[in-house]
Amino acid sequence: MELKRVVVTGIGAVTPLGNAAPSFWQNLIAGTPGAAPITRFDASKFRTRFACEVKNFKVEDHIDRKEARRMDIFTHYALVSVDEALRDSGLLEQSYRPERVGTIWGAGIGGLRTFQEEVADFAKGDGTPRFNPFFIPKMIADSASGQISIKYGFKGINLVTVSACASSSNSIMEALLYLRTGKLDVCVTGGSEAAVTEAGIGGFNAMKALSERNDSPETASRPYDKNRDGFVLGEGGGALVLETLEHATARGAKIYAELVGAGSSSDAYHITAPHPEGEGAMHSMKWALEDAGMGVDEIDYINTHGTSTPIGDPQEVKAIAALFGEHAYKLNISSTKSMHGHLLGGTGAVEAIASIMAIKEGIVPPTINHFTDDEEIDNRLNFTYNKAQQRTVRASLSNTFGFGGHNCTLIFRKFER
């Protein structure tokens, strides 16, 4: 079978750095921190009292109020980011076959706020089971893809990938496979998450996974810095419209970049800790390069998983050094989580957008909040510390890794006919 080429024709984002893709990108390259004290609830008794929240988001500006009440926040983020991506692509203004348009979304948790509120209300009562009839439809992770499909009448493949923090990268990988093999013409893909809740902060605090730098939230996410102390929880969503090149060309669509490869692996090591030598991460990147038919010297930028955790960051760097060899020192590397935080199941999608825009604009977004070199990390590598750098980006590679040992790598390349 001759595999079809797959291109990106639309992007959309709701993030802690902006509620649309252009503002998200501008704040990224400006090095804007998205962390601030939590406003969603009273966090005064929590060890971590800050997060990267989505700001100035009014769901009623986008979704009918009655309908919005029947959805969790993570679905709100999904629908709004998808709406932007579809408008950006121009697809809805032209003829297409609904049965050839798929919806493949990613979410690591789903409706955490809904679950928390319903269970808390039950616990406060007299034991009589009184639950909202929309409890389950709001909570389940696949509700986002279902709502997207229903809103636009897309009748192709419809599913959700759940692989913790790799979820939305895996959704994009799945979309690539279905498009390549001709099962779809178009796929709306990406991911969203809304875990800035008491349960989300409390749960990650209990694991000692979050930064506790409450005196300076804006500098708390410090990937590769010696004094990093955990990740900063984020929220939001990102959406891509992917099409076969044939379909995009036929309708005269603009093309951001080509999605040329994807790889996935398992650490098979520990439920929360990465493999100490970065073995799974290395395999994921290696297989993505093989899938793309590319050599290591063809990659110019790596958007790393880079969560700002003490054990996670060095392992990814080891994997990059092992795979890329001498070319590793010619790359730009950055962790945009230093600005938008860790969106869990939505993070791969927004970082894919950052990787695509780096190719389109010839700018590598920075890793902010670097103050002190870590002797355990090879600082001869160019981590694009503190300031964006201009360079020609022929191809970018984006890593996401999740609890359970899930690894996923995507490769985007400058589009050439």
Side-chain angles (χ1 to χ4, degrees), residues 77-401:
Y77 295 154
L79 285 170
V80 174
S81 60
V82 165
D83 183 68
E84 181 189 7
L86 285 168
R87 284 187 285 105
D88 185 40
S89 74
L91 177 71
L92 301 182
E93 300 167 7
Q94 298 172 283
S95 61
Y96 59 90
R97 295 169 59 190
E99 71 276 12
R100 299 283 298 170
V101 182
T103 308
I104 303 180
W105 204 248
I109 300 174
L112 185 60
R113 169 64 68 186
T114 294
F115 185 84
Q116 175 186 297
E117 290 176 347
E118 289 292 324
V119 172
D121 286 347
F122 175 72
K124 292 174 186 174
D126 60 4
T128 303
R130 297 185 183 92
F131 288 90
N132 189 311
F134 296 103
F135 172 28
I136 300 301
K138 288 172 66 175
M139 177 198 71
I140 52 179
D142 65 304
S143 61
S145 67
Q147 292 285 6
I148 294 164
S149 172
I150 291 166
K151 178 175 180 178
Y152 298 102
F154 298 151
K155 298 179 180 180
I157 294 156
N158 185 315
L159 58 90
V160 160
T161 57
V162 179
S163 51
C165 305
S167 295
S168 53
S169 292
N170 275 128
S171 74
I172 295 167
M173 180 179 180
E174 286 293 305
L176 172 65
L177 297 176
Y178 282 111
L179 288 161
R180 270 181 172 172
T181 53
K183 292 181 172 61
L184 295 171
D185 295 329
V186 182
C187 192
V188 175
T189 186
S192 58
E193 205 80 89
V196 182
T197 70
E198 294 90 334
I201 294 291
F204 284 118
N205 264 164
M207 295 176 63
K208 300 187 184 301
L210 296 180
S211 170
E212 298 179 17
R213 205 177 297 277
N214 295 296
D215 59 336
S216 183
E218 67 279 3
T219 69
S221 185
R222 303 183 178 195
Y224 312 114
D225 189 88
K226 183 176 182 177
N227 297 312
R228 64 191 181 278
D229 70 328
F231 74 83
V232 177
L233 187 59
E235 62 174 359
L240 307 180
V241 176
L242 300 181
E243 300 184 50
T244 64
L245 176 58
E246 179 183 14
H247 190 271
T249 300
R251 69 181 190 87
K254 72 175 183 298
I255 294 172
Y256 281 95
E258 183 173 0
L259 176 56
V260 291
S264 187
S265 72
S266 176
D267 283 351
Y269 174 72
H270 189 275
I271 196 66
T272 58
H275 189 281
E277 297 303 317
E279 185 179 298
M282 190 274 290
H283 284 146
S284 183
M285 291 186 285
K286 179 175 182 288
W287 292 333
L289 284 165
E290 290 178 358
D291 185 52
M294 296 173 67
V296 295
D297 60 345
E298 295 179 78
I299 301 295
D300 293 317
Y301 169 48
I302 298 179
N303 185 299
T304 61
H305 186 56
T307 56
S308 182
T309 56
I311 63 172
D313 291 5
Q315 278 65 30
E316 186 174 9
V317 174
K318 288 179 183 178
I320 291 169
L323 180 62
F324 284 84
E326 286 302 311
H327 185 65
Y329 301 101
K330 300 176 184 177
L331 294 164
N332 271 78
I333 297 168
S334 74
S335 171
T336 53
K337 286 186 181 72
S338 59
M339 294 172 278
H340 55 66
H342 193 351
L343 278 65
L344 307 181
T347 208
V350 299
E351 289 166 22
I353 291 171
S355 302
I356 291 162
M357 292 301 294
I359 293 170
K360 181 177 181 293
E361 300 296 327
I363 305 173
V364 175
T367 305
I368 68 167
N369 298 329
H370 182 73
F371 304 101
T372 308
D373 287 351
D374 184 347
E375 58 273 10
E376 292 187 16
I377 291 175
D378 187 351
N379 280 282
R380 294 176 297 167
L381 296 169
N382 182 1
F383 290 101
T384 323
Y385 283 138
N386 297 324
K387 187 177 180 180
Q389 294 178 14
Q390 291 189 322
R391 71 169 290 172
T392 298
V393 180
R394 299 167 298 166
S396 59
L397 180 151
S398 181
N399 282 331
T400 49
F401 312 138

